[in-house]
Amino acid sequence: MNIGVLVSGRGTNLQSIIDASENGRIKSKVVVVISNKKDAYALERARMHNIPGYFISSKNKSPEEYDAELIKILENYNVDFVVLAGYLKILTNMFIEKYYDKIINIHPALLPSFGGKGYYGEHVHEAVLKAGCKVSGCTVHFVRPEIDHGPIIIQKCVEVLDNDNAETLAERILPYEHESLIEAIKIIEEKNYMIDGMRVKILRWNN
Amino acid sequence: MNIGVLVSGRGTNLQSIIDASENGRIKSKVVVVISNKKDAYALERARMHNIPGYFISSKNKSPEEYDAELIKILENYNVDFVVLAGYLKILTNMFIEKYYDKIINIHPALLPSFGGKGYYGEHVHEAVLKAGCKVSGCTVHFVRPEIDHGPIIIQKCVEVLDNDNAETLAERILPYEHESLIEAIKIIEEKNYMIDGMRVKILRWNN
């Protein structure tokens, strides 16, 4: 698959995809990286791997205009699969319809808990800690119009420790995000799944 | 601690407490079992271990009158700790205030997901499957007036399999419930914890 990665931040999940692609663990390639933040370090990572990187400014654009620009770039690079790797801008329904079942998102908690509006970045982990949870984790799911909602491909659990703060918890979860994302892409590029309502079923377990 | 166990069903969690008490893993003892269902098999289990068992009918009683009867029996047996082991009747605030921080509940999912009104028994597992979750688990928490809400002592994760139905998932989670409940009672009877808002912190890890 030709993957387009949408990012807003430092891009460690982007890096894990690039690495898995370069070392052959997945066959798909990241062909373009697009950020809604000008100074996202993810764009620098793209450059270092000779992957085209774009910043699209939101200034004076409706969400629809913004996503139309996004689509134009994705089409230029023949992107057939989109990964949201810490992309904090809300996608329009138009975009989601266009890439239906072709967009995945990684979320740093066990959805449906701690998802939805306002639950991004460290706010997720702060909420997990405030709720007193003893486990958290991460979720890779197909994207549907409702935020942080959609058929789940992979979830992994991570222990919450008594002395955790949002930062230490985020750090402990991050490697599981990387691994989950690669496992999910592998499942999808091998067409090793079917979607049944909200359930994603794996056809063959061959890892 | 003298434990009073409230039940509505077959009482496998009750059994795990009785067993842990008899084999010395916990020091506390179940001194009375009370059910809101006449034919709860849990009452039969109590009898087999010579533990007094009571059925209290809800008929023609307000929730407050019901819980007043409950308290009377618990006080007769000098109960200082209450375990809800599949107890499907909603406790009054009066009861919860009286045993504040002295009541725990076991819930067969990873709260705060899949908790609250209507989420009991197989309905919990049906909802987990319908949401397409790849992990579920169980939660032992102190009881607060809001249903399935309160400081969490233990959570354990359990994998959801592609071919699971509510029954197979419930069965896979059940042993984790038993283990979690015993671990939680051990932590509490050893006063090996402190409650800080919604977070329960373990003072010494000595298992």
Side-chain angles (χ1 to χ4, degrees):
Chain A
M1 304 187 294
N2 289 331
I3 298 178
V5 178
L6 309 189
V7 290
S8 301
R10 56 195 176 124
T12 66
N13 276 314
L14 164 66
Q15 188 68 54
S16 74
I17 305 172
I18 294 173
D19 292 346
S21 183
E22 290 187 349
N23 70 27
R25 189 161 168 217
I26 57 174
K27 293 201 180 66
S28 302
K29 294 216 175 321
V30 179
V31 296
V32 66
V33 174
I34 306 174
S35 170
N36 67 324
K37 298 282 176 193
K38 194 172 186 174
D39 56 356
Y41 185 68
L43 291 175
E44 183 57 29
R45 290 182 194 268
R47 260 190 293 280
M48 288 190 288
H49 291 267
N50 297 311
I51 297 166
Y54 291 82
F55 157 63
I56 307 180
S57 165
S58 308
K59 227 182 241 172
N60 303 320
K61 279 169 209 161
S62 71
E64 286 71 22
E65 288 167 337
Y66 190 95
D67 281 1
E69 274 195 49
L70 212 51
I71 290 171
K72 214 168 153 189
I73 298 175
L74 295 174
E75 288 185 336
N76 273 346
Y77 287 92
N78 296 312
V79 165
D80 49 20
F81 197 77
V82 177
V83 175
L84 311 183
Y87 183 64
L88 301 183
K89 190 169 160 58
I90 294 168
L91 291 167
T92 59
N93 286 358
M94 179 268 287
F95 187 97
I96 293 169
E97 296 295 329
K98 184 168 172 66
Y99 292 96
Y100 203 79
D101 286 349
K102 305 283 180 197
I103 320 171
I104 60 172
N105 179 45
I106 171 93
H107 186 78
L110 295 174
L111 295 175
S113 285
F114 307 110
K117 219 179 161 205
Y119 287 109
Y120 62 88
E122 63 185 17
H123 301 302
V124 174
H125 306 293
E126 278 161 8
V128 167
L129 291 171
K130 202 175 161 203
C133 293
K134 296 297 185 184
V135 297
S136 187
C138 61
T139 303
V140 181
H141 63 94
F142 287 106
V143 170
R144 294 289 181 264
E146 198 184 322
I147 306 174
D148 292 329
H149 182 84
I152 293 170
I153 307 153
I154 305 254
Q155 286 186 307
K156 291 191 188 287
C157 288
V158 177
E159 202 181 353
V160 177
L161 302 183
D162 283 357
N163 54 358
D164 266 334
N165 55 42
E167 202 182 339
T168 59
L169 181 56
E171 251 175 54
R172 192 169 324 107
I173 292 174
L174 196 58
Y176 292 86
E177 294 180 46
H178 299 163
E179 175 61 22
S180 300
L181 202 45
I182 302 309
E183 286 180 22
I185 291 171
K186 206 171 152 62
I187 287 166
I188 294 163
E189 69 179 10
E190 292 176 351
K191 300 188 172 39
N192 186 16
Y193 68 99
M194 53 167 285
I195 301 177
D196 175 11
M198 281 288 284
R199 291 178 81 172
V200 177
K201 303 200 177 188
I202 306 303
L203 303 178
R204 309 167 303 277
W205 285 104
N206 53 8
N207 301 10
Chain B
M1 303 186 295
N2 290 330
I3 298 178
V5 178
L6 309 189
V7 290
S8 301
R10 57 195 176 122
T12 67
N13 275 316
L14 164 66
Q15 188 68 54
S16 75
I17 305 172
I18 294 173
D19 292 347
S21 182
E22 289 186 352
N23 70 28
R25 189 161 166 215
I26 57 173
K27 292 202 181 65
S28 301
K29 294 212 174 325
V30 178
V31 296
V32 65
V33 174
I34 307 174
S35 170
N36 67 325
K37 298 282 175 194
K38 194 171 185 174
D39 56 356
Y41 185 66
L43 291 175
E44 183 57 30
R45 291 183 194 268
R47 259 190 294 281
M48 288 191 288
H49 291 267
N50 297 312
I51 297 166
Y54 291 83
F55 157 64
I56 307 180
S57 165
S58 308
K59 225 182 245 174
N60 303 320
K61 279 170 208 160
S62 71
E64 286 70 22
E65 287 168 338
Y66 189 94
D67 281 1
E69 274 195 50
L70 211 52
I71 290 171
K72 212 167 153 190
I73 298 176
L74 295 175
E75 288 186 336
N76 273 345
Y77 287 93
N78 296 312
V79 165
D80 47 21
F81 197 77
V82 176
V83 175
L84 311 183
Y87 184 64
L88 302 183
K89 191 170 159 58
I90 294 168
L91 291 167
T92 58
N93 287 358
M94 178 269 287
F95 187 97
I96 292 169
E97 296 295 330
K98 184 168 171 66
Y99 291 96
Y100 204 79
D101 287 348
K102 305 283 181 196
I103 320 172
I104 60 174
N105 179 45
I106 171 93
H107 186 78
L110 294 174
L111 295 176
S113 285
F114 307 111
K117 219 180 163 202
Y119 287 110
Y120 62 89
E122 64 185 17
H123 301 302
V124 174
H125 306 293
E126 279 162 6
V128 167
L129 292 170
K130 203 174 161 203
C133 294
K134 296 297 185 185
V135 297
S136 187
C138 61
T139 303
V140 181
H141 64 94
F142 288 105
V143 170
R144 295 288 181 263
E146 199 183 323
I147 304 174
D148 292 330
H149 181 84
I152 294 170
I153 307 154
I154 305 254
Q155 286 187 307
K156 291 191 189 287
C157 287
V158 177
E159 203 181 353
V160 177
L161 301 182
D162 283 357
N163 55 358
D164 266 335
N165 55 41
E167 203 181 339
T168 59
L169 181 56
E171 249 175 55
R172 191 168 326 106
I173 292 174
L174 196 58
Y176 292 85
E177 294 181 46
H178 298 164
E179 176 61 22
S180 300
L181 202 45
I182 301 310
E183 286 181 22
I185 291 172
K186 206 171 152 61
I187 286 166
I188 294 164
E189 69 179 10
E190 292 177 351
K191 300 185 172 41
N192 186 16
Y193 68 100
M194 52 167 284
I195 302 177
D196 175 12
M198 281 289 283
R199 291 179 80 171
V200 177
K201 305 201 174 187
I202 306 302
L203 303 178
R204 307 166 303 276
W205 285 102
N206 51 7
N207 300 11

